[in-house]
Amino acid sequence: MSFIISTHINYYFICRRKLWLFTHGIHMEHESDLVYEGRMIGEVSYTDRSKKYTEIEIMGSKIDYYDPNRKIVHEVKKSDQMEIAHEWQVKYYIWLLKQSGIEDVEGILEYPKMKIKKKVILTEEDENTLKQIVKDIELIINQKSCPPCIHKKYCHSCSYFDFCYIIE
Amino acid sequence: MKKSYYLFNPGRMSRKDNTLKFTPVDEEGNEGVPKYIPVESVNNLFCFGSMDANSSLFNFLGKQQILVHFFDYYEHYTGSFFPKDYLLSGKVLIAQAEHYLQPEKRMSLATRFVEAAAFNMLKNLRYYDNRGKETGIQIEKIESYLNQIPFAETVDSLMGIEGNIRMSYYEAFDIIINEFEMGNRTMQPPSNEVNALISFVNMLCYTLCLDMIYHTQLNPTISFLHEPGERRFSLALDIAEVFKPVLVDRLIFSLLNKRQLSDADFDKNLQYCLLKESGKKTVIEAWEAKLNETIKHRSLKRSVSYKHLVKLECYKLVKHIMGVEEYKPFKAWW
Ligand code: SF4
């Protein structure tokens, strides 16, 4: 059984092709570096608070920093370039928690490098949107052909750049 | 920047925290001064001399996704330590197998490999033809063999055409190379300097392709032109086919014509001819320099190294196999 995980939500906003490639197991080598870097930021910025947080996994999605006392999900990111994607990722976490019976959770999106914090809440309207997003994601990842290249500026910082742009 | 390490001297390799420790050991078993290599700087290891190691070293290398290639005394490639595939994808594997099993799909890929290899060989021959080395006869022969490709119905007959192309191509080596004679291409064991050199650098090219395949989702045992399982990781042989003229042969021409190698770099015997250690070192240095050389890539619009070109080739194959985009093999465009 495979779940829609927060990475899917994230990629859905960034690029559908990336979403498709990712779910077909086509991962790029230096992606792992990014994951590593992300983790380092987390570790370095939160060493003092690490005890307060719990790492939990719900339906395949891993939440690194959940504060069960105050009911807050923290999500740490490197740059705010893809803020929309990050926001929906956090909303998705809150939604997953809600589905497993934990109500009234809030989220905080943090960009320690830029010293920015942002509060995230889940409205009823968001929940409906998320339902639609999940349906869309399922359609995309089950489609036989790979969605086309988006040819956006973002491609240049995407780990799939070489993969997408190499022609001959 | 990660790099390849070539170990010529016998010794013991071990793990020391996050570094590799190499302790040379001489014939009497005396230990020399150890060398430390930070693991992040290691791309892969080539063992030419004998190496002592234990499983904890290999567990460590495996975690770091470092391949180790082994060679015997006669410079034959004997095998690789190939850590657990870390970029596995069931979907790519199934699609790759499907491209092998369906004759049309397999032929389509096999044909592309042969055509690209021939294109790159012709590029070399034309280059020398324009510089007064008369390779016109060989060029014509190869062109006529190329015309037979559309009529090949099986991979076997395609392989036959490929063999003929390569034979005509090797005929031109004696015209291109000034000092040394190649005569017939002999492989095991190589009979003269040129053959020894071709075997050695071909093997470097094979391991390069294998390294690059490892860092993608492709399975190295499912090939299209060469028969899978025939010997070695046969997909590396398919990809090497495309790159040999550009990476291997050009290097050989320049090493010999610029006299970077001389008689003294070869160990000659009635039966065989092998590179001496001095010769191997010269070749490997030139090989590494070649791989790091960059060219401006047409579709990426940025500079890429020759080494990276091979990785890009693997991406193109993944795309073809997954139905994203048809495979257009690498053809030297400059
Ligand atoms: S390079 Fe561009 S098209 Fe390709 S996956 Fe990344 S964002 Fe999408």
Side-chain angles (χ1 to χ4, degrees), chain A residues 17 20-21 23-30 32 141 144-147 156 159 161-168, chain B residues 86-89 91-92 215 217 297-300 302 308 311-312 315-316 318-319 322 324-325 328-330 333:
Chain A
R17 182 175 171 99
W20 190 92
L21 291 170
T23 43
H24 281 73
I26 301 171
H27 302 188
M28 293 291 114
E29 191 186 8
H30 47 276
S32 51
I141 64 186
K144 209 172 167 328
S145 59
C146 176
H156 289 269
S159 60
F161 178 79
D162 280 2
F163 182 90
C164 286
Y165 284 78
I166 184 66
I167 295 167
E168 54 183 326
Chain B
Y86 71 108
L87 290 174
L88 274 186
S89 161
K91 288 186 172 121
V92 175
H215 293 287
Q217 282 72 36
H297 199 282
R298 287 195 297 190
S299 70
L300 298 180
R302 65 175 182 87
H308 193 58
K311 168 85 80 62
L312 294 170
Y315 289 164
K316 285 189 270 173
V318 173
K319 287 207 273 189
M322 294 300 284
V324 178
E325 212 164 76
K328 290 205 189 93
F330 167 75
W333 59 77

Side-chain angles (χ1 to χ4, degrees), chain A residues 15 17-18 21 148-151 154-155 158 160-161 164-165:
Chain A
C15 168
R17 182 175 171 99
K18 188 168 170 159
L21 291 170
C149 185
I150 58 172
H151 293 292
Y154 169 77
C155 291
C158 174
Y160 289 90
F161 178 79
C164 286
Y165 284 78

